[in-house]
Amino acid sequence: MKKTKYVFVTGGVTSSLGKGIIAASLAKLLQKRGYSVTIQKLDPYINIDPGTLNPYEHGECFVTDDGAETDLDLGHYERFLNIPTSQANNVTTGRIYQSVINKERRGKFLGKTVQIIPHITDEIKNRIQLLGKTGEFDIVITEIGGTIGDIESLPYVESVRQLLWELGHENAISIHLTLIPYLAAAGELKTKPTQHSVKMLMQSGVSPDILVCRSEHKLNDSIKNKLALFCNVKKEAIIESLDVETIYDVPNLMLEQKLDEVVLNKMKLPMDGTPHLKEWNEFLTKHRNPKNTIEIGLVGKYVELHDAYKSIVESFIHAGAHNEVKVIIRWIHSEKLTEENVPSRLMGLNGILVAPGFGDRGIEGKIDAVKYARENKIPFFGICLGMQMAVIEFSRNVLGLKDVFSIEMKPTAENPVINLMEEQKSVVDKGGTMRLGSWKCVLKEGSKVKEIYGKEIIEERHRHRYEFNNDYLKQIENAGMIATGKNPDTNLVEIIEIPSHPWFVGTQYHPEYKSTVLNPHPLFVSFIKAALEHYLK
Ligand code: GLN
């Protein structure tokens, strides 16, 4: 049983400074020093989870093995640390209030007035310590969403204050991530916003142990002295975080800045040598020195916001480095595709990925894109909704069936080749009720996917309500689209392939959730390899 120590990460001045990446980079360095580390994100919104949020609001919804619908930062944590996260790694204000209110209804606080302090803060503290109590981790890094000064973050900051006090200085520390803007007109870096942010944090009773300063320019000594003086932080604990080309450079950057050493010293934890980032740097070397450049079309309806497809984009980076190619993404708005403009918009692509999604906006554009990839023998990868659209396209254009659709888009379709799952028929609530998380899939002997995975049984993560309608399986297979992966218990079709096509694979699950820097996902690796072959032809 490990005695867990806690690191809290707050953000100041502005949002989007990359708290998640700093937390993940620190965790990576500590992990490489032999510590077992996990990262948790506390989100200050009222939704119970981001599953009910439109991707335009908050980017991709990341799904864990245990079926939690979570913030996209958890994807970064997994991609950096190469270990899975779980429901306990993401908590929202909604979930905190829900459990406190449920307890109140059960009479847990009978006779008492239920208040933000202590009841909400106690619940937050319990959630923070839940991961520590598993005894699995030496260090838990907790990222507080939002920016210091936000009304909705106050209970979190108060809980951090209490925990810092209760656990004691060697067991819990606080890192504040902030921005040092450069005023071009004055030719100067400015510390004032950071001074104010730290002041606000101190007014809540939290004094930062470490400042991580995002900046476009190096912080000179006088800036560091000023920050130290005004913010009560030791000079060596002022870490500069300059803009870098890729997020995967940040661990090296933090290593140079000795963030890990400062953290370990503050918590009186032993450290020997330097952490070796050998495999990590091998990945970076390949990423920086591609031998070829290929272009993949990503067809989706949220393409204006690239974060909506975060894990897919990162999976391309991992698989690209593995194949020593640079992957350029052509963002294709499915709503803007028509049968007529598909050839011009998709021309020159070496691979086409039709993305996951919900609802009927832009759906015909996705189907047209599948048709183009199938007919022109361009490597095709369909994920979740993308796989379902591949089945529809095939049934319409190869089988020649009339009025083919998914029940999701057309409940009265004569040929519903994609059907609502049986267990979904009684579901009324929208939140957390899809088929979620990790499920087994058995791969067919002799199939492309079996060869790619190199094993018979795989486990992949899901997030869907609709499924391949097995009433059509025979006809579809006879016409040349084969179900090469199935759930062993329910026969649910998890994968379809067209063996006569150079690379045509659709998966009901989301392989992108499991691709990491050190373990690029085999399907993405194979897809990029096929796209490279297409390019070299
Ligand atoms: N909307 C489809 C379903 O619910 C696909 C979901 C997805 O792409 N994640 O089955």
Side-chain angles (χ1 to χ4, degrees), residues 40-311:
Q40 177 187 46
K41 170 104 192 255
L42 305 182
D43 274 312
Y45 50 75
I46 313 283
N47 303 63
I48 302 290
D49 59 46
T52 51
L53 285 173
N54 184 318
Y56 285 132
E57 294 270 325
H58 212 67
E60 165 190 279
C61 171
F62 185 80
V63 179
T64 57
D65 282 332
D66 64 349
E69 295 176 285
T70 71
D71 186 78
L72 59 71
D73 269 340
L74 272 78
H76 289 308
Y77 306 162
E78 291 201 7
R79 290 186 281 271
F80 275 60
L81 295 185
N82 210 27
I83 54 167
T85 54
S86 70
Q87 179 69 71
N89 294 72
N90 192 198
V91 179
T92 69
T93 294
R95 199 174 284 278
I96 300 281
Y97 272 79
Q98 187 188 46
S99 62
V100 171
I101 291 169
N102 286 345
K103 281 182 192 160
E104 187 275 336
R105 289 290 84 183
R106 287 200 304 271
K108 192 97 201 298
F109 314 113
L110 225 47
K112 290 266 175 283
T113 309
V114 180
Q115 295 179 294
I116 294 188
I117 305 172
H119 302 98
I120 295 296
T121 47
D122 279 352
E123 185 67 28
I124 295 174
K125 286 181 347 191
N126 285 339
R127 296 283 178 150
I128 291 174
Q129 289 173 289
L130 213 58
L131 285 163
K133 284 186 184 138
T134 60
E136 265 179 70
F137 303 105
D138 299 304
I139 301 165
V140 175
I141 301 179
T142 300
E143 177 193 344
I144 318 290
T147 308
I148 289 304
D150 296 349
I151 291 177
E152 51 187 19
S153 310
L154 284 175
Y156 291 110
V157 179
E158 167 60 15
S159 306
V160 169
R161 183 195 68 78
Q162 292 179 20
L163 276 178
L164 287 168
W165 172 247
E166 285 165 8
L167 296 169
H169 218 73
E170 284 174 18
N171 297 315
I173 62 165
S174 137
I175 298 179
H176 190 56
L177 175 64
T178 173
L179 176 73
I180 310 290
Y182 179 75
L183 284 197
E188 266 183 338
L189 286 168
K190 290 294 183 189
T191 64
K192 195 73 85 188
T194 296
Q195 292 179 39
H196 281 298
S197 177
V198 171
K199 203 171 274 175
M200 215 169 338
L201 190 58
M202 283 174 162
Q203 275 166 4
S204 308
V206 175
S207 204
D209 297 283
I210 298 171
L211 281 186
V212 177
C213 305
R214 279 294 301 271
S215 176
E216 286 170 30
H217 296 274
K218 283 188 90 56
L219 309 181
N220 59 29
D221 252 14
S222 94
I223 294 276
K224 285 194 179 175
N225 287 334
K226 207 166 173 183
L227 286 167
L229 180 69
F230 283 104
C231 302
N232 282 8
V233 175
K234 290 248 175 343
K235 195 168 160 196
E236 64 269 18
I238 295 172
I239 306 289
E240 97 189 356
S241 173
L242 297 176
D243 296 351
V244 278
E245 205 183 298
T246 152
I247 52 169
Y248 299 116
D249 280 332
V250 182
N252 282 312
L253 194 71
M254 290 302 108
L255 181 64
E256 277 166 33
Q257 288 286 312
K258 304 191 187 334
L259 175 61
D260 56 332
E261 287 185 33
V262 178
V263 166
L264 292 173
N265 279 334
K266 295 234 176 243
M267 296 199 295
K268 303 256 180 322
L269 283 170
M271 81 187 106
D272 8 81
T274 26
H276 66 93
L277 290 169
K278 191 167 163 282
E279 290 158 298
W280 187 271
N281 287 333
E282 279 166 11
F283 155 80
L284 277 173
T285 305
K286 282 191 185 169
H287 175 65
R288 284 213 188 86
N289 301 289
K291 298 198 172 116
N292 290 291
T293 300
I294 57 163
E295 197 178 7
I296 303 289
L298 197 160
V299 184
K301 67 171 173 177
Y302 306 111
V303 293
E304 304 92 327
L305 182 74
H306 296 179
D307 270 2
Y309 303 106
K310 195 75 201 165
S311 294

Side-chain angles (χ1 to χ4, degrees), residues 340-359:
E340 295 71 48
N341 71 19
V342 155
S344 64
R345 297 210 176 193
L346 304 190
M347 202 167 53
L349 291 173
N350 308 115
I352 294 173
L353 184 143
V354 176
F358 297 85

Side-chain angles (χ1 to χ4, degrees), residues 356-358 383-385 388 408 463-466 508 510:
F358 297 85
I383 299 183
C384 207
L385 185 69
Q388 296 175 354
E408 181 179 5
R463 184 172 187 246
H464 66 120
R465 290 187 207 281
Y466 298 85
Q508 186 57 74
H510 293 256

